[in-house]
Amino acid sequence: MSTAARGPLLLGVRHHGPGSARAVRAALDAALPAAVLVEGPPEGDALLELAADPGMRPPVALLAHAADDPGRAAFWPLAEFSPEWVAVRWAQRAGVPVRFIDLPAAHSLAAGDDREPDEDGAADAIRLDPLAVLAETAGYDDPERWWEDVVEHRGTGERHDPLAAFEALGEAMTALRETYGDGGHRRDLVREAHMRQRMRAARKEFGDACAVVCGAWHVPALRTRTTAAADRALLTGLPRTKVETTWVPWTHRRLARAGGYGAGITSPGWYAHLFAARDRPVERWLTKVAGLLREEDLQVSSAHVIEAVRLADTLASMRGRPLAGLTETLEAVRAVMCDGSDVPLALIEDRLVVGDVLGAVPDAAPAVPLMRDLTRQQRSLRLKAEARDRELELDLRKDTDGAKSLLLHRLRLLGVDWGTPTASRGSTGTFRETWRLRWEPELSVRVAEAGIWGTTVLAAATAKAEADAAAAGELGEVTALAERCLLAGLSEALPAVLRALADRAALDTDVARLAKALPALARSLRYGDVRGTDAAALGTVAAGLAERICVALPPACAAGLDADAAAELRGHVDGVHGAVGLLADADEGLRDRWSAVLRTLAGRDTVPGLLRGRAARLLLDDGRLPAEETARLMGLALSPAAAPADAAGWIEGFAGGGSGGGTLLVHDDRLLGLIDTWLVGVAERAFTDVLPLLRRTFGAYEPGVRRTLGELVRRGPAGPGPSAAPGAAPEGFAPELDPERADAVVDLVRLLLTAAPAREEAAAVPG
């Protein structure tokens, strides 16, 4: 068919529609236009030649971002089954010019409209969804099912007119535009004015023998006769900014509406299959499903596939559909292959209906220097970017694993969260790390944003850390930054961070903030030792911070604290106690000074009971508080003269917090007897007030510990004081050692003690 008689050939499509893509290819083969115009930003024209590069594998996206603010960006994704991609590749193979004609990104980004380009049917309920209106008019309640029936499942043959579908869809869209106007798509009026301008320029260069591939919604507006002056008036005065463009990998998951892309589709994996399967798509799809289920060790045979095909075809016939669609195939899979369960079906929908396909772009694509350095390191470390979640276990004693850890930590400091640290399952040692990796297309924008800090990952992370240290407003921010610098191996940034740390520590008088900052410093020293980082200066700052806490903590704990403030300080006391344990290896005197602080807190009546009880417990666990002294402190805290709420707080601090308090009470009948005696003597009115505290304390114990305590109380544990009769304790918990029973476990203890070093030595061997 000659295009000259009809003017420019307008091919209205559905973005990412495989039926539209096949129809576009057939129409271009029939019309043989002299040029192809495609909906997309003109800034991408210079990059179109890369589409023919063997290293380009869809899905990919054209990325445009403001040169002075990379965070202002927009994507134009293209899959292998996108009509626009098919048009571009057809033009390249045919040797004819191909150009983008949409509104330039320079205008849309300057106006602050950095959303992805709209699809013919927008998700916003306020804006008209053309496909939904057409589907409803045809008697369908699902636009996707209507589109499959009228476009995706249409037959093609020798007598099939490749332009018939475009003409029919264009007529339908014309009726909609006449009825609904712009349908709430105000921005499209400006876009369409620019498209008409580009079409006029193309007609001057190539005549009428050119084809335009655009969203079907735009066809009536591009067919309307308007003057160049009217279009220029719409385009006059638009804001403009300098933009940079490149190609970036995209994913099927990000093509899905659930992924946040406004022009998305619900089932990109299914659409990719429909586009690739030239014949028997249902049979091929169900074979693919069976393969996935077999990989998950589910028993699926060829007979299952045959029966599923029959059921899907039967359902399609009953519903009057020309071919089984996604709905029918999934129902058949659930019934035949999944035994009616939705669990394996969810896996199929995730892996096949949506999919984790990640595209690739050639090395020749423009990229900021930081991205090139990141790509080089990914290849050298064999750290492949993937679209699905995967877990990465690292042993920091190995050079390659250590380098991977440094790269991931540096990227996190730059705001490029490719990896997220998670708890290690195999070991709790500091030489092991576990990461959950997943590459999202948006990370390309984050890398472009981070490019202002440097041209390499190391240089950018160092500059970013120094800037963050200078801008930090609180001491805790700087200590956290110091820890991140050590984890990332940013030795050049540490001096600036330590200066900021020392300055803020010297000026900060809030003991809570000081106590909150110390644990991070202690962890930093610990990780620095593991990674071979010189953190001597950090140790000096940490020691000074610990000394200030030792001086300031007792007065802060006696300043009329309410319950919430006391609970907050209790958490800080625990954190400082753990930090002192890490720092004491370098300064044994620090442990003694901290123990003196805890003794002061444990014995001072003006300190809230929660803090006194916690201090006593920490001293007891460190072996710095004899059992007799512990019982005396508890007796004073639980005496009749003590306020019931304060006494309950003491119990919570001493026996709560998941610190083994239940086990302690199980094995020390004196302490349990003190608590039992106090509890029985609490007045009824006061008991109602302290009950929530007691429930919180004892409810945190493991069920076995709670049962044992209940049994001990039921039997009647020994009373307080050394005068309690030994026979009063339940069997197995006598105050005196039973030599015969102790000897019975000596061999087992010796075996455990001799095996432990061997296991540690084996774990320490690299590899």
Side-chain angles (χ1 to χ4, degrees):
M1 181 180 295
S2 172
T3 60
R6 302 172 54 90
L9 178 62
L10 298 179
L11 303 178
V13 301
R14 184 190 186 191
H15 300 305
H16 315 311
S20 288
R22 287 194 302 268
V24 163
R25 185 165 52 196
L28 294 176
D29 285 339
L32 298 176
V36 177
L37 310 180
V38 179
E39 182 181 329
E43 291 92 345
D45 285 352
L47 303 176
L48 280 174
E49 63 179 357
L50 290 174
D53 192 295
M56 181 77 83
R57 296 197 312 272
V60 294
L62 192 65
L63 165 63
H65 63 81
D68 59 347
D69 182 8
R72 281 192 293 140
F75 297 94
W76 284 262
L78 297 170
E80 189 174 10
F81 51 85
S82 299
E84 298 88 347
W85 179 262
V86 170
V88 169
R89 294 294 294 121
W90 183 94
Q92 291 174 332
R93 285 192 292 268
V96 301
V98 55
R99 294 169 185 172
F100 285 129
I101 62 171
D102 203 349
L103 186 70
H107 293 312
S108 58
L109 292 179
D113 190 356
D114 56 355
R115 298 168 299 168
E116 288 87 349
D118 294 76
E119 213 263 5
D120 305 330
D124 193 336
I126 300 176
R127 305 169 70 189
L128 179 70
D129 184 343
L131 295 186
V133 175
L134 293 176
E136 184 179 359
T137 304
Y140 285 74
D141 57 0
D142 183 0
E144 292 291 330
R145 189 158 58 89
W146 173 81
W147 181 262
E148 281 191 343
D149 285 354
V150 301
V151 177
E152 303 303 334
H153 296 164
R154 292 180 74 254
T156 58
E158 295 180 359
R159 298 182 179 179
H160 176 70
D161 183 358
L163 300 180
F166 295 111
E167 293 174 355
L169 196 56
E171 291 175 2
M173 291 299 172
T174 299
L176 288 178
R177 295 293 290 255
E178 291 175 352
T179 303
Y180 297 101
D182 60 24
H185 302 252
R186 304 291 183 188
R187 171 172 167 259
D188 287 348
L189 298 179
V190 178
R191 295 175 57 200
E192 289 159 354
H194 188 271
M195 291 183 196
R196 288 191 293 265
Q197 292 282 59
R198 298 279 289 186
M199 288 171 59
R200 291 187 185 99
R203 292 181 70 177
K204 289 181 180 179
E205 185 175 356
F206 305 108
D208 287 335
C210 56
V212 179
V213 179
C214 62
W217 176 253
H218 304 301
V219 168
L222 300 187
R223 187 174 288 161
T224 300
R225 292 185 178 276
T226 60
T227 64
D231 288 338
R232 279 197 300 271
L234 285 174
L235 298 169
T236 301
L238 291 179
R240 188 179 186 89
T241 188
K242 184 179 179 181
V243 300
E244 296 176 355
T245 56
T246 187
W247 290 106
V248 296
W250 204 252
T251 67
H252 274 180
R253 192 170 301 279
R254 293 299 294 157
L255 283 171
R257 282 199 184 100
Y261 170 58
I265 52 179
T266 57
S267 48
W270 166 251
Y271 274 10
H273 170 77
L274 289 181
F275 183 72
R278 298 181 179 273
D279 64 326
R280 308 180 73 85
V282 175
E283 291 86 343
R284 296 179 186 277
W285 172 259
L286 291 174
T287 301
K288 203 181 286 187
V289 169
L292 173 63
L293 294 178
R294 291 189 190 112
E295 291 176 0
E296 298 298 322
D297 294 329
L298 296 177
Q299 299 299 319
V300 179
S301 66
S302 299
H304 285 92
V305 177
I306 295 171
E307 289 303 317
V309 170
R310 289 175 177 172
L311 179 55
D313 289 342
T314 301
L315 290 173
S317 298
M318 292 174 59
R319 295 167 181 173
R321 306 194 67 183
L323 189 69
L326 181 60
T327 302
E328 287 73 28
T329 58
L330 290 181
E331 289 178 1
V333 167
R334 180 193 286 111
V336 178
M337 299 183 184
C338 302
D339 297 325
S341 172
D342 287 334
V343 176
L345 193 68
L347 176 69
I348 294 167
E349 291 176 339
D350 182 69
R351 296 277 188 88
L352 295 181
V353 176
V354 177
D356 288 311
V357 177
L358 176 66
V361 299
D363 294 338
V368 296
L370 182 61
M371 175 59 83
R372 295 197 180 281
D373 181 63
L374 173 57
T375 302
R376 179 188 59 78
Q377 293 195 52
Q378 287 174 328
R379 290 175 178 172
S380 65
L381 296 175
R382 297 182 180 178
L383 205 53
K384 185 179 179 181
E386 296 177 324
R388 69 172 59 183
D389 286 334
R390 76 179 181 98
E391 200 168 84
L392 178 67
E393 295 277 355
L394 298 179
D395 184 341
L396 302 183
R397 298 168 298 182
K398 300 178 180 178
D399 292 341
T400 301
D401 283 6
K404 291 178 180 178
S405 172
L406 293 177
L407 175 62
L408 293 172
H409 278 295
R410 289 167 183 171
L411 290 175
R412 277 177 59 81
L413 198 147
L414 289 170
V416 183
D417 294 328
W418 177 21
T420 303
T422 61
S424 296
R425 294 176 298 180
S427 172
T428 58
T430 57
F431 57 85
R432 292 200 181 276
E433 279 186 352
T434 303
W435 293 80
R436 181 170 288 109
L437 302 183
R438 181 172 184 162
W439 185 266
E440 295 284 0
E442 290 82 356
L443 294 179
S444 299
V445 178
R446 303 285 85 81
V447 174
E449 287 182 294
I452 64 173
W453 299 107
T455 58
T456 67
V457 175
L458 174 59
T462 299
K464 180 71 161 51
E466 293 174 344
D468 287 348
E474 294 186 1
L475 177 62
E477 296 177 22
V478 188
T479 55
L481 181 60
E483 183 178 12
R484 298 180 71 182
C485 286
L486 284 172
L487 292 173
L490 302 180
S491 56
E492 294 186 6
L494 271 179
V497 175
L498 291 177
R499 283 195 301 271
L501 179 61
D503 292 343
R504 283 161 180 76
L507 297 175
D508 204 325
T509 58
D510 189 327
V511 68
R513 286 201 292 265
L514 296 175
K516 184 180 179 181
L518 184 61
L521 289 180
R523 288 193 304 269
S524 299
L525 289 168
R526 181 190 189 201
Y527 282 112
D529 291 341
V530 172
R531 295 166 183 270
T533 305
D534 184 9
L538 194 62
T540 302
V541 175
L545 203 61
E547 292 292 346
R548 293 184 59 196
I549 293 172
C550 289
V551 173
L553 186 60
C557 292
L561 299 175
D562 59 17
D564 292 338
E568 181 182 357
L569 266 181
R570 173 199 168 173
H572 292 320
V573 168
D574 284 345
V576 172
H577 186 74
V580 167
L582 295 174
L583 298 173
D585 292 339
D587 183 4
E588 184 60 33
L590 178 60
R591 193 189 300 273
D592 295 333
R593 292 189 290 277
W594 174 244
S595 296
V597 172
L598 293 178
R599 282 186 172 275
T600 300
L601 296 179
R604 184 173 290 177
D605 293 340
T606 55
V607 174
L610 180 69
L611 295 174
R612 284 187 283 124
R614 193 61 187 160
R617 178 58 192 276
L618 294 176
L619 288 169
L620 178 66
D621 288 346
D622 279 356
R624 292 175 178 262
L625 190 67
E628 292 76 11
E629 179 66 11
T630 304
R632 185 186 72 82
L633 291 175
M634 180 179 284
L636 292 173
L638 305 183
S639 67
D646 192 64
W650 198 99
I651 294 174
E652 182 183 7
F654 183 83
S659 56
T663 305
L664 176 66
L665 295 179
V666 165
H667 292 286
D668 196 321
D669 54 293
R670 291 174 301 172
L671 300 181
L672 180 60
L674 285 168
I675 294 176
D676 185 41
T677 301
W678 169 79
L679 187 58
V680 171
V682 174
E684 181 178 353
R685 181 176 301 177
F687 183 80
T688 305
D689 295 331
V690 303
L691 182 59
L693 291 176
L694 297 175
R695 286 179 63 88
R696 183 169 61 194
T697 301
F698 293 101
Y701 294 163
E702 295 181 355
V705 173
R706 292 201 302 269
R707 285 195 300 269
T708 303
L709 288 175
E711 182 64 20
L712 290 175
V713 172
R714 185 184 68 81
R715 293 179 181 179
S723 61
E731 184 178 356
F733 294 97
E736 298 297 333
L737 178 67
D738 185 340
E740 183 177 351
R741 297 182 65 188
D743 290 342
V745 300
V746 169
D747 291 339
L748 177 60
V749 173
R750 182 180 294 110
L751 178 63
L752 293 174
L753 293 176
T754 54
R759 288 197 302 270
E760 291 295 331
E761 182 178 353
V765 176

